Amino acid sequence: MYFLDSRNTGVCIKDTDDCQGSEVCGRAIISSKLYANITACCDASSSTQELCESRSIGEVTNLWFRVSQPNELCVKDCDPTSLEATPECQEVPSMSTTLYANVEKCCEGRKEPEYCDTMSNGEYSNKHYYDTSKMRCSQSCIGPLPCSGQFPKDSSTILYDDLETCCSEKLSWIRNDVCVSNARGEEPGNTGKYYYQLGDCVADCPRSSDNADCGGIVANWVMNLYPDRITCCDRNSCRNPPTPPPSDTLQSS
């Protein structure tokens, strides 16, 4: 026979001195209501059924439950002190905690189910996201850039399938090819066009290039680009405007 623990621990105690295995045993008092089995006893408890039944025999459920910290994830009801414990193991906050059969069911009610599922399983999603600490798009993976080697730290983080989409959605003021190159740690490409900068017209290419006209890569979408330096200086006030090419038309004397 079983009775509810009067200390309000949410477990059922077997009414015996001869305890078998890891069962919780003890002697009932006169006022204790007795139940034929653990299931019937746990039905009368305020605890979640699975938690009551597992704890009454000294076990864990290995089911999933929601936590608000860190970042609205799901964790597993397993013993975090065990040598076989996985990183997602945590103690349940209370015996009335709602449990879910798997991480997918648990994450269905989260703000970002995909983020919750990936993070709760301790996996890298290989998805792309805006990394606020680096102010660029990164990929949740291990390896060279754009891999960040970490998980997004905020549950509201939006995950994207590719860098191009992340760049256009989160860094729309930066030219997309430049944003993607920055994320990969690569030298951005260049348009070969010219733009006005600090009183002169310079080429859209890395300053390290052999071209003396190079003024650096244009990252801003709103920057006006011109096909050549002459056209650029015609539209702007260059300090040293280029000399127009000589006319092919001969002057008659």
Side-chain angles (χ1 to χ4, degrees):
M1 302 289 281
Y2 294 83
F3 62 96
L4 286 169
D5 189 350
S6 60
R7 295 169 296 179
N8 199 29
T9 61
V11 301
C12 287
I13 299 174
K14 189 174 184 179
D15 183 26
T16 181
D17 289 329
D18 183 21
C19 217
Q20 301 296 317
S22 56
E23 280 187 319
V24 181
C25 302
R27 279 296 183 182
I29 59 177
I30 296 176
S31 60
S32 298
K33 184 175 181 179
L34 297 176
Y35 300 87
N37 51 53
I38 289 179
T39 300
C41 180
C42 286
D43 280 342
S45 169
S46 60
S47 303
T48 301
Q49 187 77 18
E50 296 91 344
L51 282 171
C52 176
E53 291 189 22
S54 65
R55 296 305 191 269
S56 297
I57 57 174
E59 294 182 357
V60 291
T61 65
N62 287 309
L63 298 177
W64 294 80
F65 62 96
R66 297 172 181 173
V67 290
S68 57
Q69 294 295 331
N71 300 329
E72 294 196 352
L73 301 184
C74 287
V75 294
K76 205 171 187 180
D77 172 37
C78 43
D79 184 3
T81 64
S82 168
L83 293 177
E84 296 81 24
T86 53
E88 63 268 19
C89 284
Q90 281 195 28
E91 294 278 356
V92 291
S94 77
M95 289 293 288
S96 59
T97 300
T98 301
L99 300 174
Y100 300 88
N102 51 54
V103 68
E104 293 80 12
K105 287 291 184 183
C106 182
C107 285
E108 282 180 359
R110 306 279 78 180
K111 284 183 181 178
E112 298 289 340
E114 184 179 28
Y115 173 94
C116 171
D117 192 342
T118 301
M119 293 282 285
S120 297
N121 277 310
E123 297 173 349
Y124 290 94
S125 67
N126 290 314
K127 296 280 188 174
H128 301 81
Y129 65 99
Y130 177 61
D131 190 338
T132 55
S133 64
K134 296 181 175 64
M135 298 182 69
R136 70 181 181 214
C137 285
S138 294
Q139 187 176 12
S140 179
C141 55
I142 291 288
L145 292 175
C147 289
S148 62
Q150 62 185 16
F151 306 112
K153 294 181 172 61
D154 189 339
S155 61
S156 63
T157 300
I158 300 173
L159 302 176
Y160 302 96
D161 290 332
D162 51 67
L163 279 173
E164 290 76 9
T165 305
C166 177
C167 284
S168 62
E169 291 291 328
K170 305 302 292 188
L171 294 163
S172 58
W173 60 93
I174 297 177
R175 213 173 69 203
N176 201 267
D177 63 306
V178 174
C179 175
V180 170
S181 295
N182 287 340
R184 292 173 176 162
E186 300 171 349
E187 187 77 37
N190 61 80
T191 63
K193 296 183 179 181
Y194 283 72
Y195 61 95
Y196 185 72
Q197 175 180 267
L198 301 175
D200 202 0
C201 283
V202 292
D204 173 30
C205 50
R207 290 189 178 89
S208 58
S209 302
D210 294 335
N211 185 353
D213 284 351
C214 288
I217 295 295
V218 177
N220 199 319
W221 274 111
V222 301
M223 181 76 72
N224 291 319
L225 296 175
Y226 304 94
D228 50 56
R229 187 163 181 265
I230 291 176
T231 305
C232 178
C233 284
D234 281 347
R235 302 287 181 87
N236 300 280
S237 301
C238 287
R239 291 192 302 264
N240 300 299
T243 304
S247 173
D248 293 335
T249 305
L250 295 177
Q251 299 283 338
S252 58
S253 56

